[in-house]
Amino acid sequence: MRVLAFDATMATCSVALWCDGSVEASLCDPMVHGQAEALVPAVESVLKKAACSYDALDRIAVTVGPGSFTGVRVGLATARGLGVATECPVIGVLTTVVLAEEARLNGTDTKIAVAIDARRAELYVQCFDQDGEAGRDPLCLLPADAAKLLEQDAWRLVGDSAEKLSGLVSNEVKISGPVYPNATVLAAMAAQQPLPSAPPGPVYIRPPDAALPKSGGRLRP
Amino acid sequence: MRVLGIETSCDETAVAIVDDGRTVLAHALASQVEDHRPYGGVVPEIAARSHLDRLDGLVVKALSSANLKLSDLDGIAATAGPGLIGGVIVGVMTAKALASVHQKPFLAVNHLEGHALTVRLTNDVPFPYLLLLASGGHCQFLLANGVGNYTRLGTTLDDAAGECFDKVAKMLGLGFPGGPAVEAAARGGDSKKFPLPRPLRGRQGCDLSFSGLKTAVRHCIEALPPGPLTKQDAGDISAALQMAIVESIVERAENALVMAAAAKPNAFVAAGGVAANSSLRNALAALSEHNGLPFVVPPLELCTDNAVMIAWAGVERLQLGLTDSLGFKPRPRWPLDQAVGVAA
């Protein structure tokens, strides 16, 4: 099975072409902004490097968040557009799950906690057991509240806010990559997933920043 | 030549397919008005989320209703700015993906150029023409010299006319979108009961201004006796506002016509959502007739945001070889008089 996978949810643009356990080509460029410009040329570049065409794809995989709202939409709009154009199924995987899976593959003797910068002084956090099984859905928390989740047991912290969170945790924690999702890991995970009945949707966690105006904005009730 | 166009720059998610014979082969549109109504205006993050949820389904729907496949198309166009950037990115990324798979030219269309060229689809208006582009985000007079070639004669110094309609509708509790709500309320109103200013009247040039009008309306409402606003007051204020906006635009348009005269325009064109206002259309038609110029406005459904105009702008740009790279950066701000394409 050949999978084209990409991530644009954090501070990289990562693309991989994976086939039956082997990486045929991959690319990962660091960037805080600019994924909207970089992603489709990066996909074309990876396909060209592997001398592969869109026709040869079996699946498309994308991270669905949590992460930058813009990055989530850059990835998902591209993946869903590619899905319509290639008629390949599109598989969505949580950013936190991809990070935890890479940590598990690298070998860990503790539980895994993923911490991602959610801006506004908050973190997206999700905890996994040693085998990479998630305890509950990812949350958006203040760092102090996130630290409370890690009060017991030893943890391996991953994600771009692992260091920030480690400073608030008193028990044993180890920080060792990954910092950002790896498209190769995403591709391998997507190959194992059952086919979805619908294209994947975004996982923002945080609701839109919009307040209802008092009295609907009327000057008189 | 057939081009698929995508529009996601504000609160309409739309996909259309248009050919160079000026036939609209498909137009699939999902309005977000109900999503934004409780807020009395468009909430950018809600809009961006909604575009992502709906756009790929509308692409499939448009292709199906035209009985076409992506491989039957000659180009993929999308609004690439100006607009609410979250939504623009969704449209641009979807278009790039479609173009990449089928190796079709990608056309990054300036949303304002979509409005500007609509009358060439509907009425085959030849260049040059004088253009009033009036919507919720823009209000300007331009000379349309050619595709990608515009000279701005004047623009609003503050708010757009459509924004003024929306904000006043919100103050009066008339609902969203504000333009049609104010127009409907104005029908039963006395436009003279609340005197409102005519911004920039008598000034040289054809710049416009609407923020003072908005403030004047606020003062009118605040000066009313305590208690709920009566339907009659809301109607009278709506009528006064509509007349002030129309008279202001018409007075500025007189100057624009003088400024454009040397270019010998073939028509006076009004486009954008505000051009759907019937009082404004009638007043501009009379002014244009007085100046011996045909007055052209697109049909109502093509005045407001739509994908037909984006697909058509794509056709016009593709005919000239004005295609764009898949590395194109979506632009939240993109003045039309810089909308000069780069032949790829």
Side-chain angles (χ1 to χ4, degrees):
Chain A
M1 180 187 295
R2 183 174 278 113
V3 182
L4 171 69
F6 46 85
D7 166 76
T9 59
M10 293 175 66
T12 58
C13 182
S14 176
V15 181
L17 186 66
W18 179 98
C19 187
D20 296 332
S22 304
V23 182
E24 296 186 316
S26 68
L27 181 156
C28 183
D29 287 329
M31 60 184 71
V32 178
H33 303 292
Q35 286 93 341
E37 299 96 284
L39 180 57
V40 176
V43 165
E44 291 195 338
S45 162
V46 163
L47 288 171
K48 191 175 174 189
K49 204 156 45 166
C52 179
S53 72
Y54 285 107
D55 292 342
L57 300 179
D58 295 301
R59 290 185 178 193
I60 291 155
V62 65
T63 40
V64 297
S68 138
F69 291 173
T70 297
V72 166
R73 285 191 282 267
V74 165
L76 267 167
T78 305
R80 288 170 61 154
L82 292 177
V84 167
T86 60
E87 298 182 4
C88 281
V90 180
I91 311 286
V93 183
L94 286 170
T95 313
T96 42
V97 168
V98 177
L99 283 160
E101 174 66 3
E102 185 170 0
R104 188 190 69 81
L105 291 170
N106 291 345
T108 181
D109 52 3
T110 65
K111 293 181 176 179
I112 302 161
V114 179
I116 296 172
D117 184 5
R119 300 177 195 177
R120 301 184 199 176
E122 291 184 314
L123 303 176
Y124 298 123
V125 179
Q126 192 173 19
C127 298
F128 299 81
D129 67 19
Q130 209 170 315
D131 299 321
E133 290 294 321
R136 56 199 283 195
D137 290 341
L139 301 166
C140 184
L141 297 170
L142 289 167
D145 294 329
K148 285 179 192 161
L149 296 177
L150 313 180
E151 278 174 350
Q152 293 180 347
D153 303 320
W155 293 89
R156 179 171 174 185
L157 298 185
V158 300
D160 66 353
S161 296
E163 198 165 317
K164 187 179 198 173
L165 186 54
S166 73
L168 302 170
V169 179
S170 54
N171 48 318
E172 186 190 341
V173 293
K174 194 186 291 178
I175 305 169
S176 57
V179 176
Y180 302 119
N182 181 327
T184 302
V185 174
L186 167 64
M189 295 183 82
Q192 303 301 320
Q193 298 216 353
L195 285 180
S197 57
V203 176
Y204 297 114
I205 300 181
R206 194 184 268 148
D209 189 12
L212 286 170
K214 281 182 191 168
S215 308
R218 272 172 290 181
L219 290 184
R220 294 294 176 96
Chain B
M1 178 186 289
R2 301 184 193 103
V3 172
L4 180 142
I6 291 173
E7 161 58 29
T8 55
S9 66
C10 192
D11 60 344
E12 310 280 1
T13 316
V15 179
I17 303 169
V18 174
D19 71 15
D20 57 353
R22 295 186 164 77
T23 306
V24 178
L25 302 167
H27 191 202
L29 188 142
S31 172
Q32 302 176 9
V33 166
E34 293 309 317
D35 299 340
H36 300 285
R37 196 186 298 280
Y39 300 92
V42 178
V43 180
E45 179 61 22
I46 291 176
R49 292 182 181 200
S50 183
H51 289 305
L52 177 63
D53 292 343
R54 302 177 188 189
L55 181 56
D56 56 348
L58 289 177
V59 170
V60 172
K61 189 176 170 188
L63 287 165
S64 167
S65 75
N67 199 21
L68 291 170
K69 296 186 200 127
L70 284 165
S71 55
D72 298 325
L73 303 173
D74 298 287
I76 310 290
T79 294
L84 302 175
I85 193 64
V88 170
I89 284 175
V90 170
V92 165
M93 297 317 293
T94 303
K96 285 180 177 181
L98 303 179
S100 175
V101 172
H102 289 276
Q103 296 180 27
K104 304 292 182 188
F106 167 64
L107 302 135
V109 171
N110 182 311
H111 177 84
L112 304 178
E113 184 162 44
H115 280 301
L117 297 178
T118 303
V119 289
R120 292 172 52 75
L121 167 71
T122 56
N123 298 70
D124 200 6
V125 176
F127 293 118
Y129 49 88
L130 174 64
L131 170 69
L132 165 67
L133 210 160
S135 67
H138 305 273
C139 198
Q140 50 194 264
F141 289 101
L142 297 138
L143 199 55
N145 306 304
V147 175
N149 182 354
Y150 303 87
T151 307
R152 191 168 62 196
L153 304 175
T155 187
T156 180
L157 303 175
D158 38 58
D159 295 344
E163 187 182 352
C164 187
F165 274 122
D166 283 343
K167 293 279 166 60
V168 169
K170 194 170 175 177
M171 289 184 218
L172 296 174
L174 295 176
F176 171 81
V182 168
E183 186 173 8
R187 283 190 199 110
D190 173 2
S191 62
K192 296 198 171 63
K193 187 171 169 196
F194 294 93
L196 293 174
R198 303 291 184 266
L200 303 182
R201 174 183 269 177
R203 294 264 193 101
Q204 281 192 333
C206 58
D207 283 339
L208 303 117
S209 169
F210 298 102
S211 72
L213 261 178
K214 202 174 61 185
T215 308
V217 169
R218 175 178 286 275
H219 290 157
C220 283
I221 298 171
E222 286 170 351
L224 287 169
L229 198 67
T230 66
K231 196 176 171 192
Q232 189 59 50
D233 282 339
D236 293 342
I237 291 170
S238 296
L241 175 78
Q242 180 171 267
M243 180 169 275
I245 289 177
V246 169
E247 287 188 3
S248 181
I249 291 176
V250 168
E251 194 256 350
R252 306 276 78 203
E254 287 172 5
N255 289 0
L257 283 159
V258 173
M259 292 166 76
K264 296 189 172 35
N266 292 300
F268 180 23
V269 170
V274 176
N277 181 287
S278 54
S279 295
L280 181 62
R281 290 161 87 110
N282 293 339
L284 291 176
L287 174 68
S288 203
E289 189 182 350
H290 181 72
N291 282 268
L293 268 186
F295 178 65
V296 187
V297 270
L300 286 181
E301 67 273 18
L302 297 185
C303 280
T304 47
D305 289 348
N306 65 87
V308 170
M309 67 182 193
I310 303 305
W312 174 252
V315 168
E316 293 242 42
R317 295 183 71 80
L318 185 56
Q319 284 173 334
L320 297 173
L322 297 171
T323 62
D324 295 277
S325 123
L326 294 178
F328 188 93
K329 181 179 183 179
R331 299 180 61 174
R333 294 173 190 277
W334 189 359
L336 188 53
D337 47 352
Q338 290 173 23
V340 180
V342 178

